[in-house]
Amino acid sequence: MFVGRETATAPLCGKSRHRKRAFFWLVSLLLASLVWFVSVRLSDRGDAALQRGLLGFGAAVSVLLQELFRFAYFKLLKKADEGLATISEDGRSPISLRQMAYVSGLSFGIISGVFSVINILADSIGPGTVGIHGDSPYYFITSAFLTMALVLLHTFWGVIFFDACEKRRYGCLGLVVASHLLTSGLTFLNPRYAASLGPIFIITLCTGLWAFVTAGGSFRSLLKCLSCKQEDDSRVMTYSALRVPCED
Amino acid sequence: MITFMNNSDSEEEPCNERTSLMSAESPPVPSYQDGLQASQAGEVQAHRKRRTGSSRSPNNIADGETSDSSVPVREGALENEEEELTLKYGAKHVIMLFVPVTLCMIVVVATIKSVRFYTEKNGQLIYTPFTEDTPSVGQRLLNSVLNTIIMISVIVVMTVFLVLLYKYRCYKFIHGWLILSSLMLLFLFTYIYLGEVLKTYNVAMDYPTLILVIWNFGAVGMICIHWKGPLQLQQAYLIMISALMALVFIKYLPEWSAWVILGAISIYDLMAVLCPKGPLRMLVETAQERNEPIFPALIYSSAMIWTVGMAKPDTAARRSSQQAWDAAEDGRETDRSPSHTDSQMSERSPVPTRPITSFEELEEEERGVKLGLGDFIFYSVLVGKAAATASGDWNTTLACFVAILIGLCLTLLLLAVFKKALPALPISITFGLIFYFSTDNLVRPFMDTLASHQLYI
């Protein structure tokens, strides 16, 4: 019965799909934190290098789990899509896989960004001085830029990931996971912002272009969109199509 | 906390907007039909049979077919159509409930984070007499469990009392009780709330202005909730009184007791709604027998009106009297009414009709989802407690918020499946509790350590 009922999730509009995906991301974060927590408990607290290593390990596990949950969500959506197509009138689902990929990526990005930045935002209201203990004074602004990059990256990765899964291009999938790991790893260089922010933005741009091409965009479609030209609609609806035949 | 299908008014209406726009036949999908038949409650079954029975004759006359084989197909097609409609419009219901629940939580969290008053410990309710300032952990746990037992038994007693009153038709008593409690909420608690907010922001206000503001707020609230009023104003008032009630709970319930009470009340809700002799279930069944709306008070209704706009010129005929259900929230310190336990969630069924798609009979139909105010209150208590006690961390609050909404979504899904009264608390509160404890203890240290090194995952 569960499978049959999942079709109810597919026609849900954006907000509730966002919630479901956010939930999935939260669960992945929960599992990753569990792994890290256990590893910290089992390790020696005093050793700073080991702690940093464990942190890196925890971050890597978290990245892998996030991608795993993205894949699980893809599977779920596919099933829901098929069910929805079955019960709809013309055999097609009302939401295309591309739209679902976009929404999926966006909601992963939003929840990930919000979780990363909201405590920083809350602290930025209160009285204080940034970097008074010798840390970088650009903490807030770089956090803001990093979060923006991360949200955009998640959106792009969502689009590319779903497309790669759909077309079974496992190379692309591996590239997405690798770029996520790379981005997360680059943030480990963090007080040296030239080394981390710059490459992350370059990665964001490239991934954005890749996602744009994957989603079917091209230079021409961009021009068309920007010039706001109206397309001739090839589907012509006649008045008779609106009237439903009366049964007498 | 109860979800059910209200089929009582829908027998007479033969056509609705959706079937007049959709094609007559839908491809029969066996799995849905089987599932649907398996999940129907008895009463719903009876209604459906009656409807398909009444619609059968015009169909047969129309088609000129009298064979038996056509009839099951017709019935199957009808049910399938209805199924599809339920699914499609079920999505709207989810959104219609997300917005008020979110608003209530936002009000509560905003107040908790800014107004100190609601996080200060100034005594406890008489329903939770045992203190938690004990030296040992075991004693504290015992005290919180005892507090929970007392609170839940008070709630049970009140619920049973209310059900008995309803059963023996003491409507005046119930109305008086509800009016008294909403009076208290709208005047006294609002006065306290306003006072604390003004204190926090150091805004001076003189008594005449205060009296004017409170009087207007309270009087309009009483009218909107108990008599007639614009739907959105009524919804706004319901959200506000739920938030006020939740704030009172957050202030006066001691820490561990609050969590144990949340867990216990979701278990109670589950039993009261699903067990055959549960008070809430008896309430629902009595109301359905008498063909009355269940407790117009205490329920948040997000009714949507669809009018068929094709042949009739007047399309926007709103049934405001239907919507102006009294929905006073009740249950404060002195009067632990079973408002939070009477909370129900209900869904009115779509009007399944004969699939004749002409314009002749165009009628209004109302479809909405109802959620009990007690559910609002307990969701907000959970999120508010998370905001108040999670060491100043916003991640926990957010995680609880997402968990509760996902639980609500799942409950609505189950409602679409089972089409009978369902408790709205258990799934959400369980998810909320799991996420609160795990986020506070596991995720927070991880995220804090990451943020201190400015690492992103």
Side-chain angles (χ1 to χ4, degrees):
Chain A
M1 210 52 234
F2 183 73
V3 173
R5 282 304 139 200
E6 269 173 23
T7 62
T9 66
L12 296 178
C13 68
K15 258 189 217 158
S16 32
R17 264 182 282 147
H18 277 301
R19 299 273 151 60
K20 286 204 171 38
R21 252 153 295 216
F23 182 69
F24 273 68
W25 188 88
L26 276 179
V27 174
S28 80
L29 181 63
L30 191 65
L31 290 173
S33 315
L34 183 63
V35 170
W36 177 79
F37 193 78
V38 169
S39 68
V40 163
R41 285 269 178 236
L42 295 175
S43 71
D44 172 24
R45 283 299 180 82
D47 190 349
L50 179 64
Q51 291 300 315
R52 197 165 167 93
L54 278 179
L55 202 59
F57 169 68
V61 168
S62 169
V63 165
L64 290 173
L65 277 173
Q66 282 179 45
E67 298 299 328
L68 188 69
F69 272 81
R70 212 199 291 268
F71 183 70
Y73 200 74
F74 168 75
K75 281 281 173 214
L76 191 73
L77 278 185
K78 275 293 277 184
K79 261 198 201 154
D81 200 33
E82 282 161 18
L84 200 63
T86 320
I87 68 166
S88 83
E89 289 163 12
D90 50 2
R92 285 182 306 121
S93 109
I95 308 169
S96 76
L97 199 67
R98 286 215 183 114
Q99 285 173 324
M100 284 198 251
Y102 170 69
V103 179
S104 156
L106 187 64
S107 44
F108 257 59
I110 289 178
I111 189 82
S112 157
V114 165
F115 255 63
S116 311
V117 94
I118 193 148
N119 280 326
I120 299 176
L121 277 179
D123 286 338
S124 70
I125 298 176
T129 311
V130 189
I132 197 169
H133 288 296
D135 300 308
S136 160
Y138 302 117
Y139 186 81
F140 285 155
I141 189 86
T142 49
S143 295
F145 275 112
L146 274 173
T147 312
M148 177 186 84
L150 206 68
V151 173
L152 287 173
L153 274 172
H154 268 288
T155 315
F156 300 147
W157 283 331
V159 172
I160 301 171
F161 193 93
F162 275 46
D163 191 69
C165 283
E166 181 75 15
K167 302 200 176 114
R168 299 188 185 280
R169 293 216 284 247
Y170 294 116
C172 287
L173 226 91
L175 258 177
V176 165
V177 178
S179 79
H180 194 169
L181 279 170
L182 180 65
T183 311
S184 184
L186 276 173
T187 57
F188 273 72
L189 297 172
N190 239 344
R192 298 185 282 276
Y193 293 124
S196 67
L197 262 186
I200 287 182
F201 269 94
I202 294 174
I203 293 178
T204 311
L205 273 169
C206 297
T207 321
L209 279 172
W210 185 12
F212 182 65
V213 168
T214 312
S218 67
F219 193 58
R220 295 186 77 183
S221 61
L222 193 65
L223 280 179
K224 218 188 292 183
C225 166
L226 288 174
S227 68
C228 302
K229 252 192 293 193
Q230 289 271 359
E231 249 187 40
D232 292 326
D233 201 348
S234 54
R235 298 165 292 149
V236 179
M237 287 233 291
T238 60
Y239 179 69
S240 59
L242 295 174
R243 285 181 61 97
V244 191
C246 309
E247 299 182 37
D248 34 58
Chain B
M1 300 179 203
I2 310 180
T3 316
F4 69 104
M5 302 284 282
N6 193 343
N7 292 322
S8 36
D9 329 345
S10 50
E11 297 164 42
E12 308 79 45
E13 295 160 273
C15 177
N16 72 348
E17 171 202 8
R18 289 184 291 281
T19 53
S20 62
L21 291 175
M22 279 171 50
S23 65
E25 295 282 357
S26 304
V29 179
S31 59
Y32 285 98
Q33 279 182 38
D34 295 343
L36 199 57
Q37 278 156 15
S39 64
Q40 276 172 4
E43 190 172 319
V44 177
Q45 182 96 18
H47 275 279
R48 189 157 294 166
K49 287 264 185 303
R50 241 178 290 151
R51 277 196 293 271
T52 53
S54 62
S55 62
R56 215 188 295 168
S57 23
N59 291 347
N60 284 344
I61 294 170
D63 299 346
E65 284 175 351
T66 47
S67 64
D68 279 336
S69 57
S70 71
V71 169
V73 172
R74 276 280 182 197
E75 282 189 8
L78 274 174
E79 286 177 6
N80 195 43
E81 228 170 75
E82 189 184 319
E83 180 62 28
E84 199 176 325
L85 295 173
T86 314
L87 285 181
K88 278 190 177 157
Y89 292 97
K92 282 217 173 88
H93 293 173
V94 176
I95 301 302
M96 271 160 26
L97 278 188
F98 271 5
V99 174
V101 172
T102 310
L103 276 175
C104 190
M105 288 192 215
I106 285 178
V107 170
V108 170
V109 171
T111 310
I112 294 275
K113 289 284 186 186
S114 52
V115 178
R116 290 251 143 259
F117 174 71
Y118 288 104
T119 41
E120 290 163 3
K121 282 269 142 247
N122 278 344
Q124 295 180 195
L125 299 172
I126 56 168
Y127 302 104
T128 53
F130 295 95
T131 175
E132 283 194 9
D133 277 333
T134 55
S136 74
V137 171
Q139 181 74 22
R140 190 173 184 184
L141 196 61
L142 182 68
N143 280 357
S144 52
V145 170
L146 288 172
N147 279 338
T148 309
I149 292 176
I150 295 177
M151 181 79 133
I152 299 285
S153 22
V154 168
I155 290 177
V156 170
V157 164
M158 290 290 195
T159 314
V160 170
F161 183 49
L162 195 66
V163 171
L164 284 174
L165 282 179
Y166 189 67
K167 232 180 154 100
Y168 294 113
R169 299 177 190 267
C170 310
Y171 293 136
K172 286 209 161 69
F173 194 98
I174 297 178
H175 280 306
W177 186 1
L178 291 174
I179 286 181
L180 217 64
S181 55
S182 55
L183 258 175
M184 186 158 182
L185 265 173
L186 280 171
F187 286 99
L188 180 64
F189 284 4
T190 310
Y191 169 69
I192 295 174
Y193 180 78
L194 195 60
E196 291 306 323
V197 170
L198 291 174
K199 264 190 232 168
T200 306
Y201 291 107
N202 207 12
V203 173
M205 189 184 262
D206 53 318
Y207 271 111
T209 314
L210 186 73
I211 290 175
L212 195 68
V213 168
I214 300 269
W215 169 251
N216 278 307
F217 180 82
V220 175
M222 290 301 288
I223 292 175
C224 265
I225 292 173
H226 289 279
W227 192 49
K228 291 195 223 276
L231 179 67
Q232 288 181 320
L233 196 60
Q234 184 191 56
Q235 291 173 338
Y237 268 106
L238 291 175
I239 293 175
M240 278 191 270
I241 58 180
S242 308
L244 283 173
M245 200 59 228
L247 285 169
V248 166
F249 274 138
I250 294 173
K251 180 173 170 67
Y252 287 112
L253 284 179
E255 295 257 346
W256 290 18
S257 307
W259 297 113
V260 184
I261 285 175
L262 276 172
I265 205 157
S266 40
I267 298 177
Y268 165 71
D269 195 25
L270 196 65
M271 293 195 323
V273 174
L274 295 180
C275 289
K277 279 298 165 193
L280 296 180
R281 184 169 171 152
M282 284 172 46
L283 193 69
V284 171
E285 284 169 1
T286 318
Q288 278 182 339
E289 276 166 38
R290 296 184 194 167
N291 243 349
E292 294 169 353
I294 290 190
F295 278 129
L298 318 179
I299 295 190
Y300 176 92
S301 149
S302 58
M304 284 197 319
I305 297 276
W306 281 313
T307 53
V308 190
M310 298 197 83
K312 274 194 190 153
D314 50 329
T315 55
R318 294 198 155 261
R319 274 198 231 156
S320 54
S321 56
Q322 182 90 37
Q323 292 147 25
W325 287 349
D326 343 319
E329 173 44 292
D330 150 277
R332 323 122 267 129
E333 305 169 1
T334 58
D335 200 354
R336 187 64 60 213
S337 90
S339 58
H340 13 276
T341 57
D342 282 338
S343 21
Q344 313 134 10
M345 237 169 65
S346 68
E347 177 189 317
R348 309 194 65 179
S349 68
V351 183
T353 71
R354 58 203 165 104
I356 290 191
T357 54
S358 63
F359 300 132
E360 55 219 19
E361 276 135 281
L362 307 167
E363 297 187 351
E364 269 180 42
E365 189 221 313
E366 179 186 320
R367 254 194 112 190
V369 194
K370 298 181 226 349
L371 183 64
L373 288 191
D375 298 324
F376 277 87
I377 291 177
F378 282 107
Y379 293 161
S380 309
V381 166
L382 196 144
V383 176
K385 269 284 181 203
T389 63
S391 357
D393 189 40
W394 281 89
N395 287 346
T396 317
T397 315
L398 272 176
C400 290
F401 170 71
V402 172
I404 286 182
L405 288 182
I406 291 287
L408 188 61
C409 207
L410 279 175
T411 314
L412 283 170
L413 215 67
L414 285 178
L415 171 64
V417 172
F418 289 109
K419 292 189 173 47
K420 57 179 226 176
L422 281 186
L425 276 186
I427 302 180
S428 292
I429 299 281
T430 313
F431 277 175
L433 286 175
I434 292 176
F435 269 83
Y436 171 75
F437 286 111
S438 53
T439 311
D440 201 31
N441 297 317
L442 294 175
V443 177
R444 192 179 43 87
F446 185 44
M447 293 301 288
D448 280 347
T449 322
L450 285 178
S452 66
H453 295 282
Q454 212 173 11
L455 303 174
Y456 283 77
I457 50 166

